[in-house]
Amino acid sequence: MNKKPCIAMVPSPGLSHLIPQVEFAKQLLQHHNEFIVTFIIPTLSPLTPSMQQVLNNLPPNIDFILLPQVKNIQQSHDPAAQMKLIVKHSIPFLQQEVKSLISKTNLVSLIFSIFSTDAYEVAKQFNLSSYLFYASGAVPTSFYLTLLNLDDSISSEIEFLESAYETVNVPGSIVPYHIKDIPDPLLCERSSLEYKSFLDVCQKFSLVDGVIINTFNDLEPEVIRLLQEKEKPCFYPVGPLHRNESNCEDNINSMCLRWLENQPPSSVLYVCFGSGGTVSHEQLNELAFGLELSGKKFLWVVRVPSKVVSSAYFVGEKDDPLDYLPSGFLERTKENGLVVPSWAPQVEILGHGSIGGFLSHCGWGSTLESVVNGVPMIAWPLFAEQRMNAKLLTDELKVAVRPKIDDESGIVKREEVANCVKRIMEGDESLEIQKRIKELSVGAAVATSENGSSKKALSSLASRLQNF
C-alpha cells in the first residue's frame, strides 16, 4: 500500500508566523486529504501557552516536532534577524528530523516560512521540492523580487534612493512607495546582521519551486497578475488565511465579549499592536489621552511600553502594563472603555457587531482579519513590512487613515489620535471607508468559495506537490 505524500512545514519562530502556516495546512488538508503534514518547529525557549494551545489543537492528520532550543545566539533588536539566527542554528536538528521522516513517510516537500529560508538547503540535500510560505501580501513580495533584479547593486540602489529622497515603484502597484516605507533591515549597514539576513531572504525567492502568499485577487489584483506571469517561481495566492477562533484564556475572552455585548452596534474602536508590538511610554500616554479626547468607546490591549517597537515579540511581560497608563485614566474612561493587559481574543472581537474600527500595527494577519470582517482601520505601522501594508491600506485601497507624526517630538499627539478615531467612526469619510472595506470583505469570501481564485490556486499547488 502506497503511503500518503508527506509535507514538512518549517515555520519561523513566533506565534504570528505559526498561526497562518497552521491555517494553510488545515485548508490544504481539508480540500486535499491525500496529504499528511508534519510541522518541524525551531525554538529558542519553551513554548508559550498560546503556541502550545495551537499545537495541541491540531487535527489528526497534522503532527508536529519541536527542535531542541538553540543556545548562545547573537542578540538582535530586529525580529527578522533574530528569527533567521534561530533557524540557522537549528539546521543540524532539522536535517536529522527530515532524514527520520524520509525513513518513515513518503516525504515530498519542505514548505518553510519567510525567515526559515535556511531550510532550502535541507530540501536540496534530500531532493525535496521547496516552497516559500510568505504570510504577508503581494506588494512586499513584488518589491523583494524587484531588489533581486538589481543583483549585486541592491545596497547601492538603496543608498541612492535614500540620499535622493526618491520613491520605489512596486510593479503592479498604482501608488509609489517612499524609501521610508521599505523594511528597516534594507536600510542598515551592508555588514550588519540585519541587512545580510534580509538579503538572504530576498535571494531565496528566486530559488524555490514556488511561493505561497496569503492574499487574494480583489485585494492586490494587478500585483498578483504580474507575479503569476513570471516563469519561476510559481506564485500561489491562497488567502485570506486567518483563524476562526483566538487562542486566549477563557476569562479574558468572556470579559471582552461580555463588555462588547453591552455596547451599541459599530460603536467601539479596537486598539491592538499585534503579538509583539510596543510603543514608547510617551507615545502610550498620548495614545491614552487621544482615546479619551475622542469621546468614542474603545477596547484597548495595552503592553508595557518600550523604546524598541518589537520588544514584546520574544520576551514575555513581567510588569503590569496598566501601571504605565496616565494617572486617573482608567477611572475617567471606565464608562467608555475597556483596557486589557497584553492579550485579547482578537478574532472574536473583530467579528463582533459592536466594533466600528481597528487601530492596528498593520501586521498582515491583523490586516486580513480586519478586511474579512469589514472593519475600517487606523494604520499605525511599527516595523517589518508594516509600513508597506499601511501604504496599501491608506493610499491604494483607501480603507484606512494614518495618523501624522509630530515633526518635533517624533510621536503621534493626542489631538491627532482623536482626529483619526473620528475620521473612521463618524462623518462622510467614514461612510466611504466602510463601503470600500465591506466590498473587500465580500471579495475575500468569494476568493475562498468553492470555485474562487484562492481555492483554484490551492488546487494547483496540491497538484504540483503530489506530482513532484
Side-chain angles (χ1 to χ4, degrees):
M1 182 177 178
N2 292 331
K3 295 178 180 177
K4 285 187 174 184
C6 177
I7 300 165
M9 296 195 182
V10 187
S12 303
L15 183 64
S16 62
H17 289 271
L18 175 65
I19 286 174
Q21 202 161 351
V22 166
E23 294 305 318
F24 165 70
K26 289 178 180 177
Q27 283 292 313
L28 177 66
L29 296 181
Q30 180 182 341
H31 298 278
H32 302 277
N33 62 7
E34 65 269 24
F35 298 102
I36 57 173
V37 170
T38 296
F39 276 86
I40 307 177
I41 303 171
T43 61
L44 176 66
S45 56
L47 293 182
T48 64
S50 297
M51 289 187 71
Q52 190 68 63
Q53 188 174 8
V54 170
L55 296 173
N56 289 344
N57 290 327
L58 292 174
N61 49 0
I62 302 179
D63 199 3
F64 71 91
I65 299 165
L66 296 179
L67 297 181
Q69 296 170 28
V70 297
K71 306 293 184 182
N72 303 319
I73 66 169
Q74 183 180 345
Q75 295 298 306
S76 170
H77 287 315
D78 177 56
Q82 189 77 1
M83 286 184 280
K84 280 275 293 171
L85 277 175
I86 294 169
V87 176
K88 182 178 181 179
H89 285 259
S90 298
I91 290 301
F93 306 126
L94 177 62
Q95 290 170 323
Q96 293 174 18
E97 294 299 343
V98 166
K99 187 175 182 180
S100 176
L101 276 178
I102 289 173
S103 69
K104 301 173 189 173
T105 70
N106 178 23
L107 185 63
V108 296
S109 183
L110 274 187
I111 298 179
F112 39 84
S113 292
I114 186 75
F115 301 120
S116 297
T117 49
D118 283 299
Y120 170 76
E121 300 300 333
V122 180
K124 277 181 56 181
Q125 177 186 349
F126 292 100
N127 195 30
L128 304 171
S129 64
S130 60
Y131 290 83
L132 176 59
F133 178 85
Y134 187 35
S136 197
V139 164
T141 303
S142 181
F143 171 65
Y144 302 150
L145 288 170
T146 300
L147 287 183
L148 277 177
N149 293 334
L150 299 171
D151 296 324
D152 293 333
S153 62
I154 288 177
S155 61
S156 59
E157 179 75 3
I158 291 294
E159 288 165 9
F160 166 74
L161 290 170
E162 192 172 22
S163 63
Y165 215 63
E166 292 282 347
T167 55
V168 178
N169 290 315
V170 175
S173 176
I174 63 173
V175 298
Y177 286 77
H178 194 276
I179 189 68
K180 66 184 179 183
D181 295 319
I182 71 174
D184 294 320
L186 290 171
L187 301 177
C188 293
E189 294 288 336
R190 288 192 70 176
S191 59
S192 70
L193 171 66
E194 289 79 9
Y195 179 87
K196 289 179 178 178
S197 296
F198 212 92
L199 182 58
D200 179 69
V201 167
C202 291
Q203 290 168 337
K204 289 298 193 296
F205 272 90
S206 65
L207 301 177
V208 295
D209 294 297
V211 178
I212 304 157
I213 44 178
N214 188 9
T215 189
F216 60 98
N217 278 0
D218 280 9
L219 195 63
E220 305 172 277
E222 189 62 14
V223 184
I224 289 174
R225 184 185 70 80
L226 291 176
L227 287 174
Q228 292 187 314
E229 285 181 354
K230 296 179 180 297
E231 289 186 12
K232 188 184 178 183
C234 292
F235 286 88
Y236 303 93
V238 299
L241 300 165
H242 59 94
R243 297 169 294 171
N244 293 319
E245 59 181 7
S246 299
N247 303 291
C248 190
E249 297 177 20
D250 289 339
N251 58 337
I252 297 176
N253 198 325
S254 299
M255 177 179 63
C256 292
L257 299 182
R258 274 199 315 270
W259 185 82
L260 287 173
E261 286 297 326
N262 293 320
Q263 312 309 320
S266 303
S267 66
V268 178
L269 177 76
Y270 175 54
V271 183
C272 182
F273 291 103
S275 60
T278 49
V279 296
S280 68
H281 198 183
E282 184 181 8
Q283 184 62 83
L284 184 78
N285 283 335
E286 287 298 309
L287 177 54
F289 287 127
L291 293 175
E292 185 177 357
L293 186 62
S294 75
K296 299 297 182 183
K297 294 180 177 292
F298 61 87
L299 196 168
W300 183 11
V301 182
V302 177
R303 289 207 179 84
V304 173
S306 171
K307 292 181 179 179
V308 179
V309 293
S310 58
S311 66
Y313 203 90
F314 289 111
V315 181
E317 295 181 316
K318 297 178 182 177
D319 296 346
D320 185 350
L322 305 189
D323 291 341
Y324 292 85
L325 292 170
S327 177
F329 172 77
L330 292 175
E331 180 63 27
R332 293 194 305 272
T333 60
K334 64 182 180 182
E335 298 300 324
N336 256 12
L338 175 65
V339 181
V340 181
S342 302
W343 197 260
Q346 179 162 299
V347 174
E348 291 79 4
I349 288 171
L350 288 175
H352 199 281
S354 294
I355 295 297
F358 180 18
L359 192 160
S360 170
H361 70 312
C362 299
W364 196 245
S366 292
T367 295
L368 289 180
E369 287 171 4
S370 201
V371 167
V372 165
N373 289 290
V375 178
M377 283 172 272
I378 297 174
W380 194 311
L382 297 177
F383 59 93
E385 90 293 358
Q386 293 163 13
R387 289 187 294 271
M388 299 190 82
N389 298 340
K391 185 86 169 178
L392 172 72
L393 294 168
T394 55
D395 294 9
E396 189 159 344
L397 299 173
K398 299 185 186 303
V399 295
V401 300
R402 188 166 176 178
K404 296 176 182 176
I405 298 174
D406 180 71
D407 290 336
E408 292 186 11
S409 64
I411 65 172
V412 179
K413 294 289 191 176
R414 64 192 71 179
E415 295 83 5
E416 179 65 8
V417 173
N419 177 52
C420 286
V421 174
K422 292 175 181 177
R423 285 175 64 188
I424 67 163
M425 302 284 282
E426 62 183 41
D428 292 341
E429 183 181 16
S430 168
L431 293 176
E432 288 297 318
I433 291 174
Q434 289 175 34
K435 178 184 175 183
R436 285 190 288 267
I437 201 161
K438 295 295 183 188
E439 290 171 351
L440 284 179
S441 177
V442 172
V446 171
T448 52
S449 64
E450 200 54 45
N451 293 311
S453 58
S454 295
K455 281 291 182 290
K456 290 178 180 177
L458 188 67
S459 294
S460 175
L461 172 63
S463 178
R464 281 199 68 188
L465 287 168
Q466 194 167 25
N467 296 319
F468 176 73

